Amino acid sequence: MNLVETLRGTVGAANVLTGGDLRAWEEDWRKRERGKALAVVRPATAAEVAAVVKACALAGAAIVPQGGNTGLVGGSTPDESGTQVLLSLQRMNRVRSLDAANLTMTVEAGCVLQSLQETAQQQGMLFPLSLAAEGSCTIGGNLATNAGGTQVVRYGNARELCLGLEVVTAQGEVWEGLSGLRKDNTGYDLRDLFIGSEGTLGIITAATMKLYPQPAATLTAWAAVPSLEAAVTLLGMAHRGLGAGLTGFEVMGRFALELTAKHFPQLRIPLYEQAPYCVLLENSDHESELHARGRFEQLLEAALGDGCATDAVVAENIAQARQLWHIRESIPLAQAEEGLNIKHDISIPVSRIPDFCREADALLRQAIPGVRLVNFGHLGDGNLHYNVQAPVGGDMAAFLREQEPKVNTIVFDAVGRYDGSISAEHGVGSLKRDKLEKHKSPVALDLMRAIKRSLDPHNLLNPGRVLKV
Ligand code: FAD
Ligand code: ZN
């Protein structure tokens, strides 16, 4: 019996797709990669995933795990060989249990992030992981990429929100590591090994995630700041003034907002014409809206007095707050409307971000006269989406072809000089795999290869991603 027939026997013929339009699984979100799978396989249980992995291992077929296929680094689509099995977790979408007293929920890997936020909310709780792809990305994908998003400054990345995992190994065994324990020092942390491994070490089938009490009030403000230094000063003031109430701190460069205004003229973007940067702050308060507003206004008045903000507005209601977040989340879409661009997802110690940007901006402008920089991101986490767009009127495709290596070298070398990371929250995938070879220490790469070889000795799980083995 050939592999496809075995897989049909394992998960049912209706859940093994080999013909028709498979673009939704075979093409990545950015439409930069398009592969061809031997089959798209959609198991419904961990036992079925294990059986699929065993069958693939026996046949020597590589497996590419996939959740919502919203990843941005070319990690979730098959190569062009037509030999890889695309394993979609989308049918594993049950909430297995919710333990309100323990503040945890145990969910299957294919649960869509937004549905988990809603599940928590219905129980009067908060599941804080939040990112613009939340309507289609899955918790399995979030954990496999250790996703960040907009609440990291308070709640951490996906890793910090996870207490336990259920994982199918490359040998087709099920590791039952689901646990609601906040303390468990019984040897090596297997959970943290799989989180962020981008499908190269095991297939996450379920997870136990932390929940939080819902804040009594969440307020959003928008401030114009005269420089990145001022934004960093304001961040420090917000940490001191709001404490754990500071749940979001985003920065947006003027050109990023100009592009957003150009492509989405219906959005009313405050204050952007008067300052080089705007910041978006979120304050979640466990007392009351009145208390939240009082502390926010105190903070912003102090910032205006110190000159680290030149103007500021606080959203009056939830609709206005949503509008402000919507502006921030529209930047990548506005950039896509403007044309092809070179994306970077970097992190730098917050204190060094102003110097980094000054240096990298100057080097890029010197190397490519007229180049346009779309700089925005999660300043509270030291994470910038430092993107590079062709000069006005330039041929975007040619720009990408001819300038991408040069631009990447300038940016990543500067990241190295400032002790930063070339991938803050999106992962490595295939897009940054070769860059990792240059920017990670040889000792770290050796340790990573040793882990990969011992967990997946036949290189069956997402081969060619993250590491050259
Ligand atoms: P996929 O894209 O399907 O897969 C991503 C990787 O994980 C692949 O390597 C895949 O093989 C692996 N994988 C998927 N599921 C599993 C599993 N169950 N077991 C093992 N491996 C698996 N990311 C951020 O961190 N912060 C952001 O703010 C953010 N914003 C975004 C905004 C937009 C509009 C988009 C399109 C993406 C954004 N992302 C962001 C990228 C982010 O990585 C993904 O949205 C999300 O975390 C991936 O989830 P997914 O289910 O779509 O995974
Ligand atoms: Zn981001």
Side-chain angles (χ1 to χ4, degrees):
M1 198 157 45
N2 71 22
L3 176 59
V4 172
E5 280 170 33
T6 310
L7 295 174
R8 288 197 177 111
T10 308
V11 299
N15 296 309
V16 179
L17 315 177
T18 53
D21 184 4
L22 300 181
R23 199 176 311 171
W25 294 276
E26 292 180 336
E27 186 173 63
D28 80 320
W29 190 87
R30 290 177 70 193
K31 304 198 186 325
R32 282 187 69 148
E33 312 225 341
R34 176 88 197 260
K36 175 87 199 84
L38 176 72
V40 173
V41 183
R42 294 157 45 87
T45 63
E48 284 187 8
V49 173
V52 168
V53 172
K54 277 196 173 131
C56 291
L58 203 63
I63 299 167
V64 180
Q66 188 183 89
N69 196 18
T70 67
L72 298 175
V73 291
S76 55
T77 48
D79 69 13
E80 288 160 2
S81 67
T83 62
Q84 300 189 323
V85 171
L86 192 292
L87 195 158
S88 166
L89 279 299
Q90 273 170 326
R91 286 179 68 228
M92 290 195 65
N93 60 3
R94 279 186 319 126
V95 173
R96 289 195 190 157
S97 62
L98 189 149
D99 184 341
N102 197 44
L103 285 171
T104 52
M105 62 179 170
T106 295
V107 302
E108 292 184 342
C111 289
V112 170
L113 175 56
Q114 194 177 336
S115 75
L116 296 180
Q117 296 164 348
E118 288 163 3
T119 300
Q121 197 178 12
Q122 282 153 16
Q123 304 292 322
M125 281 177 278
L126 172 75
F127 181 56
L129 189 64
S130 177
L131 44 124
E134 63 201 19
S136 47
C137 65
T138 63
I139 193 68
N142 300 147
L143 287 164
T145 58
N146 187 24
T150 54
Q151 302 280 294
V152 175
V153 66
R154 162 72 178 91
Y155 298 102
N157 297 296
R159 182 187 302 282
E160 277 85 18
L161 295 169
C162 180
L163 294 173
L165 288 181
E166 178 187 86
V167 174
V168 172
T169 68
Q171 292 71 37
E173 305 294 335
V174 182
W175 171 52
E176 312 258 9
L178 291 173
S179 153
L181 301 178
R182 282 173 171 76
K183 289 188 166 181
D184 178 11
N185 282 347
T186 50
Y188 304 144
D189 197 325
L190 300 175
R191 173 195 64 205
D192 275 348
L193 208 48
F194 291 111
I195 296 174
S197 68
E198 301 183 46
T200 63
L201 299 181
I203 296 164
I204 298 168
T205 50
T208 303
M209 306 300 298
K210 287 185 198 170
L211 296 172
Y212 289 83
Q214 256 176 18
T218 302
L219 294 187
T220 306
W222 183 283
V225 296
S227 63
L228 270 177
E229 280 87 353
V232 170
T233 306
L234 178 55
L235 173 63
M237 291 170 79
H239 275 303
R240 287 190 297 277
L242 305 176
L246 180 65
T247 46
F249 196 101
E250 302 284 312
V251 71
M252 296 151 285
R254 177 155 61 201
F255 181 58
L257 292 172
E258 280 170 1
L259 274 189
T260 310
K262 173 179 166 192
H263 293 287
F264 303 109
Q266 74 280 14
L267 292 177
R268 292 195 12 250
I269 307 179
L271 311 178
Y272 76 100
E273 280 154 317
Q274 65 180 58
Y277 290 93
C278 286
V279 297
L280 191 161
L281 304 92
E282 190 183 77
N283 175 20
S284 302
D285 191 284
H286 284 273
E287 226 170 285
S288 67
E289 175 157 353
L290 199 65
H291 186 255
R293 208 167 274 282
R295 289 184 81 178
F296 226 171
E297 280 168 2
Q298 216 176 355
L299 167 73
L300 292 170
E301 267 162 33
L304 291 169
D306 279 11
C308 61
T310 50
D311 206 347
V313 290
V314 180
E316 283 302 320
N317 50 42
I318 293 174
Q320 277 184 13
R322 283 216 184 102
Q323 269 299 110
L324 294 177
W325 276 107
H326 185 57
I327 294 167
R328 158 65 185 85
E329 281 163 5
S330 300
I331 296 173
L333 304 174
Q335 242 201 308
E337 289 288 317
E338 184 71 7
L340 294 170
N341 57 79
I342 303 170
K343 288 196 194 301
H344 301 108
D345 162 41
I346 55 177
S347 57
I348 310 281
V350 170
S351 52
R352 306 187 71 190
I353 280 185
D355 284 341
F356 165 84
C357 288
R358 218 182 337 268
E359 190 173 313
D361 288 7
L363 289 170
L364 286 167
R365 294 208 163 99
Q366 200 179 9
I368 310 168
V371 75
R372 297 177 296 164
L373 303 175
V374 185
N375 190 4
F376 65 99
H378 319 286
L379 186 67
D381 322 323
N383 176 193
L384 294 179
H385 297 308
Y386 186 81
N387 300 341
V388 180
Q389 201 112 23
V392 180
D395 174 344
M396 311 268 185
F399 175 73
L400 213 62
R401 220 173 30 245
E402 290 156 17
Q403 307 286 14
E404 190 164 21
K406 185 178 12 171
V407 165
N408 285 342
T409 302
I410 291 173
V411 173
F412 292 151
D413 285 356
V415 165
R417 287 194 295 279
Y418 283 84
D419 301 323
S421 166
I422 63 163
S423 178
E425 59 173 5
H426 295 161
V428 178
S430 53
L431 194 67
K432 293 185 195 153
R433 186 195 65 175
D434 294 342
K435 296 281 172 299
L436 202 70
E437 298 283 323
K438 181 173 168 203
H439 294 276
K440 202 105 184 159
S441 81
V443 177
L445 287 167
D446 279 350
L447 288 168
M448 285 169 66
R449 283 199 187 93
I451 292 168
K452 170 72 175 169
R453 276 195 290 263
S454 71
L455 266 60
D456 180 19
H458 304 296
N459 197 17
L460 292 176
L461 294 179
N462 224 357
R465 311 296 162 86
V466 183
L467 274 178
K468 276 190 206 158
V469 182

